Amino acid sequence: MKKQIKNTSLIFLFIASVLAFKVGDQVELEAYLNARSSAKFLSTSNNVKTQLSKGTKGEILETKKMPSGNYGIKMKVENGPRRGESYWVYYDLKAPKMKLFDAKKREQKPEAVPEQINQSKTGELTVKQEAIREPEETALIDAANNAGQVLQNKDAAQIKSPTTGADCAPLATTRGLSGVSEDKYTESDLVEPYRETPGANYKHSQVCGSAAGGWNVCKSRPGLQVERFELTNSGPNNIVKSDVSHINRQMSFEFDERARSEMKLVVSDAVDEYTSHITYSIMLFFPRSVLPAVKKIGDELEVTLPNKEIVRYNAKTKEVIGGVFTEGPIAANPDNKKAKPANLKYTGDGVMIRADKSGDLPYGDIELNNGSNAPSVSTATISKKGQRDCKIPSKDIWYTDYNREANVFIKPELSSDKGLDEFIKKKCGFSLY
């Protein structure tokens, strides 16, 4: 009985110490943690921006108690490569990965810069450790299976065709990472999606780093296949007027499991330091023929969309300078300070489906205050040159699959272009082709 009372007291003291975390406190990470743009820790959130390594220190800006009883903590990073940036990280009561530290001691002794991802002179990527799984993020692989594992450069960079065994990286990103000159990228490097839909045992877990061409690239675990590349405009320029790091426009070209149904562009506009003010735009392009690709040509980046149309970017600033996109500056709504939907226009000849929402992704189920979930109430717009825009509920296109780790997918009947064509004809009166 005494032992039970003692254990209960320890638990009480432990919880009390957690609740003692307050705005302005200084914390230090004791393990690798996912750094998120918002206090959403479900697999459907898709808001992991980077990974913060052990030794990263920062100031607490905000805390949020989760339905599980654990906490989300927003911290401003004060050392390392992400210094000055603000992210949400997960605080697990049973397995805390951060601690309070004395800011005065920090001033006395300079801190070593923590490294989370190293890039060699040849552009090869070495990931030192994968992100730790968060209890509420059910789609991540248990980090215990990968503890202390270092991905070898050649293994991390090389991707083989599942049918021929030949190198078939859809991205110049991967070619650059393996030391191949990016100016040798050709249209023949474009490849068709590997499958129509994600596998039944779909797991969304990725490791990310910088590629030699000047963009970020993310690879899946297991398999080490490139599934995303990101272009971030951090200003100052005509699109992002500020030079503050947390004000930016990011374009993330994603193709989870290299499946035809999962190819999309996620655009996020951040107008200030508040993650709830970020507006997310999901854009799909049809017909879906190839995996998205990027290559560097002189001072430009050329991105190939799934429908084979081209968008050109300034390689340094990541501003759109040509092709089937035009863009305008990031802007905030004067009424609520949130970012307006990204001023990004599609001018190509294909079909585009787009949905926008502030503070969260505009598809899949949303988390309610009572801990339950409900379908998103956002609207998707289907557009085609020469046709009137067609608006439908986002829930008619995407759904949350609770049998596959609560991930969000396009409805099975819309995963093929044939099925989507029939859907658009019925709903909108025009064809995909």
Side-chain angles (χ1 to χ4, degrees), residues 209-266:
S210 298
W215 52 84
N216 287 334
V217 58
C218 298
K219 298 184 178 187
S220 66
R221 295 284 285 155
L224 298 178
Q225 292 184 325
V226 174
E227 293 185 347
R228 183 171 86 216
F229 61 91
E230 302 170 342
L231 309 180
T232 302
N233 181 347
S234 299
N237 49 57
N238 291 331
I239 303 303
V240 182
K241 306 293 186 179
S242 172
D243 61 355
V244 178
S245 61
H246 54 248
I247 298 178
N248 58 67
R249 170 174 291 166
Q250 183 181 86
M251 299 192 193
S252 179
F253 295 86
E254 304 178 6
F255 35 104
D256 294 338
E257 287 202 0
R258 299 190 171 192
R260 190 182 308 276
S261 65
E262 300 310 301
M263 297 188 294
K264 59 183 175 289
L265 167 60
V266 181

Side-chain angles (χ1 to χ4, degrees), residues 295-415:
K295 62 180 177 180
K296 187 174 182 181
I297 305 175
D299 295 330
E300 297 182 5
L301 299 180
E302 183 177 282
V303 172
T304 303
L305 301 178
N307 61 5
K308 294 186 178 180
E309 292 180 320
I310 299 297
V311 183
R312 294 186 295 110
Y313 294 82
N314 180 308
K316 182 178 180 180
T317 67
K318 310 305 185 293
E319 296 172 274
V320 172
I321 57 176
V324 297
F325 283 176
T326 61
E327 69 173 338
I330 291 178
N333 188 320
D335 295 330
N336 57 21
K337 306 298 183 181
K338 294 182 179 181
K340 294 181 179 180
N343 189 354
L344 186 68
K345 306 297 182 183
Y346 170 65
T347 61
D349 296 323
V351 169
M352 179 185 71
I353 297 178
R354 175 172 176 166
D356 308 286
K357 186 177 181 181
S358 292
D360 200 358
L361 291 172
Y363 61 7
D365 290 356
I366 58 176
E367 184 180 6
L368 303 179
N369 290 333
N370 63 4
S372 63
N373 297 292
S376 174
V377 295
S378 63
T379 298
T381 301
I382 305 176
S383 59
K384 182 179 181 180
K385 186 180 293 185
Q387 302 291 336
R388 179 177 295 180
D389 284 352
C390 176
K391 296 185 180 296
I392 61 175
S394 294
K395 63 184 179 64
D396 288 353
I397 300 174
W398 294 281
Y399 76 105
T400 302
D401 191 337
Y402 291 98
N403 292 322
R404 289 195 286 177
E405 307 295 347
N407 280 288
V408 178
F409 302 102
I410 286 181
K411 290 189 172 182
E413 61 269 24
L414 306 180
S415 60

Side-chain angles (χ1 to χ4, degrees), residues 113-124:
V113 176
E115 295 180 353
Q116 61 190 60
I117 296 180
N118 292 338
Q119 185 179 356
S120 70
K121 294 180 180 179
T122 60
E124 295 174 341

Side-chain angles (χ1 to χ4, degrees), residues 25-293:
D25 281 346
Q26 307 289 326
V27 294
E28 179 180 356
L29 302 190
E30 298 182 294
Y32 283 71
L33 289 180
N34 287 345
R36 295 172 175 270
S37 60
S38 59
K40 299 285 187 178
F41 300 98
L42 297 175
S43 59
T44 53
S45 300
N46 195 24
N47 59 356
V48 176
K49 294 300 182 182
T50 187
Q51 295 170 12
L52 300 178
S53 59
K54 180 179 180 180
T56 300
K57 297 180 179 180
E59 177 185 357
I60 294 180
L61 303 179
E62 187 177 346
T63 63
K64 180 179 179 181
K65 188 174 182 179
M66 313 307 296
S68 64
N70 294 318
Y71 288 81
I73 292 180
K74 184 179 181 182
M75 61 180 287
K76 183 177 181 180
V77 180
E78 296 186 346
N79 66 333
R82 298 292 179 180
R83 182 177 182 179
E85 300 178 9
S86 300
Y87 299 103
W88 284 92
V89 293
Y90 194 83
Y91 192 97
D92 184 357
L93 293 174
K94 295 181 180 179
K97 303 298 182 183
M98 67 179 68
K99 64 181 179 180
L100 290 170
F101 76 99
D102 189 344
K104 294 181 179 180
K105 292 181 179 180
R106 177 192 58 180
E107 295 174 355
Q108 296 172 359
K109 182 179 180 180
E111 297 294 339
V113 176
E115 295 180 353
Q116 61 190 60
I117 296 180
N118 292 338
Q119 185 179 356
S120 70
K121 294 180 180 179
T122 60
E124 295 174 341
L125 180 68
T126 303
V127 182
K128 297 190 70 174
Q129 183 176 342
E130 191 169 354
I132 302 300
R133 182 177 65 169
E134 296 153 349
E136 295 187 27
E137 187 183 1
T138 55
L140 287 182
I141 296 175
D142 192 338
N145 295 330
N146 304 301
Q149 183 177 6
V150 177
L151 305 179
Q152 299 299 320
N153 291 343
K154 293 183 179 179
D155 293 337
Q158 192 172 11
I159 297 176
K160 298 290 185 180
S161 166
T163 55
T164 66
D167 288 339
C168 62
L171 307 179
T173 301
T174 309
R175 298 171 68 83
L177 288 174
S178 58
V180 178
S181 175
E182 291 165 355
D183 59 8
K184 294 183 180 180
Y185 179 100
T186 66
E187 287 301 316
S188 63
D189 290 312
L190 295 175
V191 296
E192 295 182 1
Y194 285 6
R195 57 176 72 189
E196 289 298 312
T197 60
N201 296 319
Y202 176 86
K203 298 285 186 182
H204 188 78
S205 178
Q206 296 178 335
V207 289
C208 303
S210 298
W215 52 84
N216 287 334
V217 58
C218 298
K219 298 184 178 187
S220 66
R221 295 284 285 155
L224 298 178
Q225 292 184 325
V226 174
E227 293 185 347
R228 183 171 86 216
F229 61 91
E230 302 170 342
L231 309 180
T232 302
N233 181 347
S234 299
N237 49 57
N238 291 331
I239 303 303
V240 182
K241 306 293 186 179
S242 172
D243 61 355
V244 178
S245 61
H246 54 248
I247 298 178
N248 58 67
R249 170 174 291 166
Q250 183 181 86
M251 299 192 193
S252 179
F253 295 86
E254 304 178 6
F255 35 104
D256 294 338
E257 287 202 0
R258 299 190 171 192
R260 190 182 308 276
S261 65
E262 300 310 301
M263 297 188 294
K264 59 183 175 289
L265 167 60
V266 181
V267 184
S268 58
D269 272 10
V271 292
D272 54 31
E273 69 273 22
Y274 297 104
T275 55
S276 61
H277 292 176
I278 297 175
T279 291
Y280 299 91
S281 300
I282 305 294
M283 305 171 73
L284 313 181
F285 304 94
F286 305 92
R288 297 165 287 192
S289 302
V290 296
L291 296 177

